[in-house]
Amino acid sequence: MDNFASLLHGFGVALTTYHIILMMVGVLLGILVGVLPGLGAPNGVSLLLPLTFTMDPVAAIILLTSMYWGALFGGSTTSILFNIPGEPSSVATTFDGYPMARQGQATQALTLAFLSAGFGALVGVILITVLSTWVAKFALRFSSPEYFAVYFLAFASFVGLGAASPFKTIVSMGLGFAFAAVGMDTVSGGLRLTFGFNELLSGISFLIAVIGLFGIGELMITMEEGLRFDGIRARVKVRDVLKTIATLPRYWVTLLRSAAIGCWMGITPGGPTAASFMSYGLAKRLSRRKEGFGKGQPEGVVAPETADHAAGSSAILPMLALGVPGSATAAVMMGGLMIWGLNPGPMLFIERPDFVWGLIASMYLGNIVAVLMVLATIPLFASILRIPFAIIGPVIVVVCFIGAYTVAGRPFDLWLALAFGVVGYLFKKLDYPIAPLVLAMVLGDKAEDAFRQSMIMSRGSLSIFWSNGLVTTIMLIGLALALGPVLSTLFGRLTKPKASSAVA
Amino acid sequence: MISRYTAEIGTATLAAGLGLAAVIGALEFGIGWGDAGPESGAFPFYMGLLVVGASVGTLVQATVGRKGLQSVFLHKEEAVRVASFFLPMAAFVVVSLLLGLYVATAIYLAFVMWTQGKYRLVVSVASGIAAAVGFYLVLEFAFQVPILKGPLEAALGIY
Amino acid sequence: MLKKTSWLLATAVAVTFGGVAQADWKPSKPVEFVVTSSPGGGTDNFARVVQSIIAKHKLMDQSVIVTNKGGGSGAEGFIYTKMAAGDSHKLTFGTNNAYLLPYVAKLAYKADELTPVAAMALDEFLLWVKADSPYKDAKSYIDAVKAKPDTFKMGGSQSKDTDQTLTSLIQDATGAKFIYVPFQGGGAAGVQLAGGHIDSNTNNPNENAGQWKAGAVTPLCVFSPTRLQGNVKVTATMGWSDIPTCKEAGIPIDKFQMPRTVWLPGGIPAETVAFYADVLKKVSETPEWKEYIERTSQTDRFLGGADLKSFIADDDAKNRKVFEAEGWVVR
């Protein structure tokens, strides 16, 4: 148990007053960037980066990781309160978190989200502590076919959910894939679907789509219904927070399953966003109360949040051990490591154990600090809902558009966000599911790249997807998950035809 | 008043149009299966085709089940409410592009508070300006994120 | 210590004398550093190191704001720069992609619409194989590839970019035939090699150093006219300077290097260009810069003015030949 000795040493490094203060500052700043949609953890971290040039690497990474935690928590807050995911990985949290808030259970939803997020992150960090060497070796076994299989699995576990018309689901998914294909194509090095517009050169950012579809689309629906949030009357009592904490153990199955999914997706570079979708999909499928999902089911908040944070923290491991970032934020931090004179990669653990274990220890502490701080801010956030809509509505509009602009500093994105807002409004009113579109945009180009890289490797033979035990296993699980519900839905539709078209 | 049927047809046509755009855009590249797997146009081409196909499916479904879709999609007063929200928002985007986000924020917030919130004009304008300054402090000072600025900032010497 | 003092002296001299000559123009507002890669990429590190050195040594009165515009392999940043013609407060950081991208993709800018300011370093390329592969030198590896054409996988970053160009040059020079697999970046190509999913890559030193130290991959040769600097042993037996040049090792390519370049938009007065060239020159003389060069095992070479123009013309012609031969040129 060499790792534990190192960890204890790490706690020694991390536990100073200066570092704890840095953690608190980082978490606070993180919550702030996380709450602003568009201005996510990667931006936050890259903005703080110049400040850290003069700091000692351990202190610098503590500040950055704490900011990362804070941003992840802040992202869930807006998902639940306004249906606007502040972070891409908190999209799945809106599915049940926002309905809960609308039913006056904002406090419960926020508390559950924060606690399960904290739990997920802790599981992720424990995994890093115990299995770092093994995980690093395991991650090396992944190549393009395995990546494709992982994306396929994530997708398979999520599609086939929901009662929407299959045509509409396909439209939504197909559009997502088409949007993801816009811009530079890694495999051919050519520009696709840009139609000669410079604005489309860098593709359509998934964040812009989320801001429009969820944020602006939701506001239009709220407006149509008449100028108010239904959560207004939610009164916040400290007792509610405590009561909700007591209910958490009830969801232990969801917690454990979601943490496992999160860790898996964090290590295999599926990433936190895919992890949260996959976890939500499986939670719904395996639940006895399927109908409740999407209408404010607590498990629907617990599952994506746990997986999101478990993936977020375990994604740090491939970055440290292999020099391959598991998420956008990890990529920025990796840039930071290099500037501080550290080389991420297999030797980091051996050459700079004080740094690595100090960081891991700070991840334990940072998470605890973060959970405590966000729990303390719940009354503050929930009280935002009591502000009259005539003020908070336009403020959210402004925040959405400023967020859209800060994604990449492109004026064109303002139009794009507006267009996605209209699409989101129409889709919601006409029962087109939005989640497949979002998931397709997140995974689409990565999955396509991985597929085509595999085809280059195998000279065009599909047999590469069952060329070894690892890829075969993942593909089989994916196929089972994909085909199961499709077959049962088809069967269900054949036995009682045209019952669905009249749903208004 | 718009019926649900009209809305279904309109949205499905829009989706089919987007799908068609993907198909046309993809045709610029090969869409076949070369000896190194699918060519770069293949994926967007078939995705576009899928969207077109499924949209046609929705159109057919809507036309066949037309009777069931005569319910109202948008009442007149709802339409007015949505428009009263959407039009200022669209104007906000246009003004942002012309005058910068901060000025647009101040104008937009003041306008909406005044017309829809029924606040006094002075209060509305003051709140709008305060919000714009607040955003400026948070973004440009705390995070050093430059956002879109216009002639006013240039005249004041703010970058 | 002596080194540091002499450097300080040099800067002091440069400031007192150079300051008089260049007093005509100075930035009047914060300068935007446009980075043509996403955060964490090689160009991003380059720009941020320059930013940190400017801040530390107060080489400019105005502050620096870094923005990443890495869309379309960096084309987004260059088009943004082109659009900002006449704006003296935008400095764009890139590689030779600045003038090579318009060949391989239909883009709304041409290289001559940008003003070159300086090239600050040359990044090197090496031929790497997995450490436990049977190939101990470049010649035996190339012979093995020649014996079985189209079976060995060469990984690299992106498509129609430096790695694939180099692969094409190797094929032309030796008659070997690889399967080129494009990955999202050099880091990914490095891990794929360490995991044994590809047979070789042409990563920059920095991209594979960690895996080399850990004993997962090993370099066969470097595509540089001379051996690399640095006497420190990276592994038990080898250091950077022990790696033979590819020419020595039997691959007749005498050099393939990637310049780290800095640009201004078009229509910028010469004195402004001179101001930034001077600042960057000072940056390249700091100990922090030397430390960055050494850490990333690049070649320290500052090019400005006429030297830079002739370097670009040369590099451009050499790459275009490959692009034309491979049929990558659009239009």
Side-chain angles (χ1 to χ4, degrees):
Chain A
M1 286 288 98
D2 212 17
N3 286 358
F4 279 103
S6 315
L7 181 66
L8 283 180
H9 171 68
F11 273 111
V13 175
L15 257 182
T16 65
T17 324
Y18 173 55
H19 287 156
I20 302 277
I21 291 174
L22 276 183
M23 278 177 207
M24 296 174 75
V25 172
V27 167
L28 270 184
L29 286 174
I31 294 174
L32 198 54
V33 271
V35 164
L36 295 169
L39 202 64
N43 310 61
V45 171
S46 63
L47 298 171
L48 271 189
L49 210 51
L51 292 180
T52 64
F53 289 154
T54 51
M55 291 166 81
D56 148 62
V58 177
I61 195 84
I62 286 179
L63 181 65
L64 293 190
T65 44
S66 306
M67 171 152 198
Y68 181 42
W69 305 130
L72 288 181
F73 283 112
S76 326
T77 308
T78 45
S79 293
I80 291 170
L81 294 183
F82 306 117
N83 204 25
I84 304 170
E87 290 283 305
S89 54
S90 35
V91 170
T93 310
T94 61
F95 301 158
D96 280 282
Y98 182 63
M100 278 182 82
R102 285 185 71 123
Q103 290 154 20
Q105 294 183 313
T107 314
Q108 285 86 336
L110 288 171
T111 313
L112 276 181
F114 295 154
L115 285 176
S116 39
F119 175 80
L122 278 181
V123 173
V125 188
I126 291 171
L127 180 90
I128 297 185
T129 316
V130 183
L131 292 177
S132 56
T133 357
W134 178 82
V135 163
K137 277 204 199 94
F138 180 66
L140 268 186
R141 293 178 55 188
F142 276 71
S143 185
S144 306
E146 288 81 9
Y147 286 170
F148 176 74
V150 167
Y151 300 137
F152 176 69
L153 175 64
F155 214 81
S157 60
F158 193 75
V159 291
L161 291 171
S165 141
F167 285 133
K168 290 178 173 173
T169 310
I170 292 173
V171 167
S172 172
M173 189 189 74
L175 282 178
F177 277 120
F179 290 146
V182 175
M184 186 63 84
D185 170 35
T186 310
V187 177
S188 72
L191 289 169
R192 293 189 302 183
L193 304 187
T194 57
F195 303 100
F197 290 105
N198 288 337
E199 289 84 359
L200 290 176
L201 198 70
S202 358
I204 296 174
S205 164
F206 148 75
L207 283 166
I208 305 293
V210 166
I211 289 172
L213 291 171
F214 286 87
I216 295 166
E218 185 59 40
L219 281 170
M220 287 174 73
I221 298 259
T222 312
M223 236 7 231
E224 182 194 304
E225 290 164 359
L227 278 184
R228 63 191 173 80
F229 282 123
D230 291 335
I232 303 172
R233 280 168 295 278
R235 250 182 260 119
V236 183
K237 288 188 202 128
V238 180
R239 199 148 46 87
D240 285 347
V241 176
L242 297 176
K243 248 197 232 157
T244 316
I245 295 177
T247 65
L248 194 70
R250 218 183 285 165
Y251 309 112
W252 66 276
V253 182
T254 314
L255 281 170
L256 288 180
R257 183 184 52 234
S258 307
I261 293 171
C263 291
W264 161 255
M265 294 302 271
I267 295 163
T268 67
T273 311
S276 59
F277 274 96
M278 187 171 164
S279 170
Y280 182 88
L282 286 182
K284 181 171 179 184
R285 265 194 208 181
L286 300 175
S287 169
R288 267 167 293 146
R289 293 180 294 273
K290 286 188 187 60
E291 317 74 41
F293 275 79
K295 298 181 193 116
Q297 184 78 12
E299 279 103 322
V301 174
V302 172
E305 281 296 314
T306 314
D308 171 10
H309 285 239
S313 47
S314 50
I316 307 251
L317 183 67
M319 167 187 99
L320 293 174
L322 296 175
V324 173
S327 68
T329 317
V332 181
M333 286 190 203
M334 215 173 89
L337 292 187
M338 292 183 185
I339 290 172
W340 306 323
L342 299 168
N343 253 329
M347 292 312 283
L348 192 63
F349 280 81
I350 296 158
E351 288 175 344
R352 297 295 301 271
D354 57 325
F355 172 79
V356 172
W357 291 103
L359 165 62
I360 293 177
S362 82
M363 285 165 72
Y364 283 96
L365 297 171
N367 259 299
I368 295 166
V369 170
V371 171
L372 290 177
M373 287 185 74
V374 286
L375 281 178
T377 56
I378 287 182
L380 179 75
F381 284 120
S383 65
I384 293 176
L385 290 176
R386 281 196 296 265
I387 300 173
F389 189 82
I391 297 176
I392 197 73
V395 167
I396 298 175
V397 169
V398 168
V399 167
C400 281
F401 281 106
I402 289 182
Y405 184 77
T406 53
V407 168
R410 275 190 291 266
F412 175 72
D413 282 345
L414 298 180
W415 287 117
L416 216 50
L418 193 66
F420 271 113
V422 175
V423 171
Y425 171 72
L426 287 175
F427 272 25
K428 246 173 231 169
K429 286 219 71 170
L430 295 173
D431 304 318
Y432 282 81
I434 291 179
L437 192 155
V438 174
L439 191 62
M441 278 189 83
V442 176
L443 293 184
D445 54 341
K446 288 190 198 164
E448 192 203 347
D449 282 351
F451 181 78
R452 289 166 63 200
Q453 281 159 358
S454 309
M455 287 299 101
I456 292 175
M457 290 180 170
S458 70
R459 317 278 303 147
S461 161
L462 288 170
S463 63
I464 193 167
F465 293 116
W466 45 90
S467 58
N468 65 51
L470 182 62
V471 67
T472 313
T473 314
I474 308 174
M475 284 304 279
L476 284 180
I477 300 174
L479 279 174
L481 282 172
L483 293 180
V486 172
L487 289 179
S488 72
T489 320
L490 263 181
F491 190 73
R493 271 177 205 285
L494 283 177
T495 45
K496 44 170 188 164
K498 70 171 184 183
S500 65
S501 57
V503 186
Chain B
M1 199 187 81
I2 302 166
S3 77
R4 166 115 187 174
Y5 172 73
T6 321
E8 287 280 5
I9 296 292
T11 308
T13 315
L14 175 81
L18 285 172
L20 200 64
V23 168
I24 292 167
L27 281 175
E28 204 184 314
F29 308 91
I31 55 158
W33 186 287
D35 54 333
E39 292 176 282
S40 56
F43 183 72
F45 176 79
Y46 288 107
M47 281 303 148
L49 217 54
L50 205 61
V51 171
V52 174
S55 299
V56 171
T58 314
L59 284 174
V60 172
Q61 218 173 35
T63 319
V64 171
R66 191 169 177 167
K67 284 203 194 77
L69 295 175
Q70 291 309 313
S71 61
V72 178
F73 177 72
L74 204 59
H75 284 290
K76 197 171 176 196
E77 63 269 31
E78 283 174 349
V80 168
R81 278 206 295 261
V82 173
S84 74
F85 173 74
F86 182 78
L87 293 177
M89 185 164 68
F92 168 66
V93 171
V94 174
V95 174
S96 294
L97 295 173
L98 293 175
L99 300 178
L101 274 163
Y102 292 119
V103 176
T105 298
I107 296 177
Y108 173 70
L109 285 180
F111 177 79
V112 175
M113 277 179 73
W114 181 49
T115 55
Q116 284 164 26
K118 311 285 177 215
Y119 289 90
R120 296 215 329 270
L121 186 58
V122 190
V123 178
S124 307
V125 171
S127 314
I129 293 173
V133 172
F135 277 118
Y136 177 78
L137 292 178
V138 170
L139 292 167
E140 313 268 339
F141 277 95
F143 291 115
Q144 303 216 323
V145 203
I147 64 169
L148 200 59
K149 294 181 202 66
L152 178 70
E153 287 91 344
L156 290 173
I158 301 171
Y159 308 105
Chain C
M1 199 58 219
L2 188 73
K3 220 169 158 185
K4 198 165 181 183
T5 325
S6 65
W7 169 78
L8 278 173
L9 201 68
T11 318
V13 172
V15 169
T16 26
F17 293 94
V20 178
Q22 257 98 36
D24 334 44
W25 191 86
K26 257 187 195 168
S28 54
K29 60 175 191 174
V31 177
E32 180 180 358
F33 278 16
V34 181
V35 176
T36 56
S37 82
S38 47
T43 302
D44 187 58
N45 279 332
F46 166 46
R48 287 181 197 274
V49 164
V50 172
Q51 179 201 16
S52 69
I53 293 175
I54 289 180
K56 193 165 176 196
H57 294 280
K58 304 198 170 45
L59 298 177
M60 250 167 28
D61 297 338
Q62 294 288 345
S63 62
V64 168
I65 299 163
V66 179
T67 50
N68 289 90
K69 295 198 180 291
S73 298
E76 183 194 3
F78 294 119
I79 290 174
Y80 177 75
T81 311
K82 174 210 158 169
M83 301 291 200
D87 184 340
S88 307
H89 294 87
K90 282 193 172 60
L91 215 51
T92 306
F93 289 74
T95 61
N96 52 4
N97 60 355
Y99 44 89
L100 297 182
L101 271 174
Y103 287 123
V104 294
K106 271 186 214 167
L107 296 173
Y109 85 96
K110 288 193 219 60
D112 57 18
E113 290 167 324
L114 310 175
T115 314
V117 179
M120 297 185 65
L122 296 172
D123 208 349
E124 303 288 351
F125 290 82
L126 290 88
L127 180 62
W128 303 84
V129 291
K130 198 166 182 306
D132 55 12
S133 78
Y135 315 109
K136 297 299 164 214
D137 57 83
K139 197 169 176 322
S140 66
Y141 179 60
I142 294 292
D143 286 343
V145 179
K146 274 206 281 204
K148 279 181 165 179
D150 283 328
T151 47
F152 283 80
K153 295 190 264 291
M154 175 77 94
S157 162
Q158 307 286 334
S159 203
K160 299 174 187 168
D161 205 350
T162 44
D163 286 325
Q164 199 176 0
T165 309
L166 179 54
T167 305
S168 165
L169 283 171
I170 299 173
Q171 295 186 147
D172 280 352
T174 62
K177 193 90 185 65
F178 291 96
I179 301 175
Y180 179 81
V181 189
F183 292 97
Q184 278 73 8
V191 173
Q192 290 298 309
L193 182 60
H197 305 291
I198 53 177
D199 300 288
S200 54
N201 67 31
T202 55
N203 271 358
N204 307 124
N206 190 38
E207 291 168 336
N208 268 15
Q211 300 288 358
W212 184 26
K213 251 187 234 176
V217 301
T218 194
L220 294 180
C221 65
V222 56
F223 294 93
S224 178
T226 53
R227 289 191 176 202
L228 295 174
Q229 304 293 308
N231 297 317
V232 195
K233 295 274 178 253
V234 178
T235 63
T237 52
M238 266 179 107
W240 292 107
S241 57
D242 298 320
I243 306 168
T245 67
C246 288
K247 208 168 180 187
E248 282 175 49
I251 301 177
I253 296 173
D254 52 318
K255 69 171 175 183
F256 189 82
Q257 293 163 315
M258 181 175 75
R260 301 232 167 257
T261 56
V262 183
W263 304 77
L264 275 164
I268 299 291
E271 54 195 318
T272 307
V273 180
F275 169 83
Y276 286 115
D278 184 52
V279 168
L280 294 173
K281 177 88 183 133
K282 283 178 198 155
V283 166
S284 75
E285 284 157 0
T286 60
E288 286 85 1
W289 177 260
K290 305 289 175 214
E291 195 269 323
Y292 160 73
I293 290 287
E294 201 173 305
R295 176 159 43 83
T296 51
S297 301
Q298 304 187 61
T299 297
D300 195 3
R301 171 90 59 83
F302 187 90
L303 292 169
D307 293 345
L308 178 63
K309 288 213 172 67
S310 71
F311 176 89
I312 290 175
D314 211 40
D315 192 48
D316 182 88
K318 210 166 71 178
N319 279 286
R320 196 176 57 199
K321 221 173 87 190
V322 178
F323 293 172
E324 275 165 0
E326 290 279 349
W328 293 343
V329 180
V330 293
R331 270 175 282 220

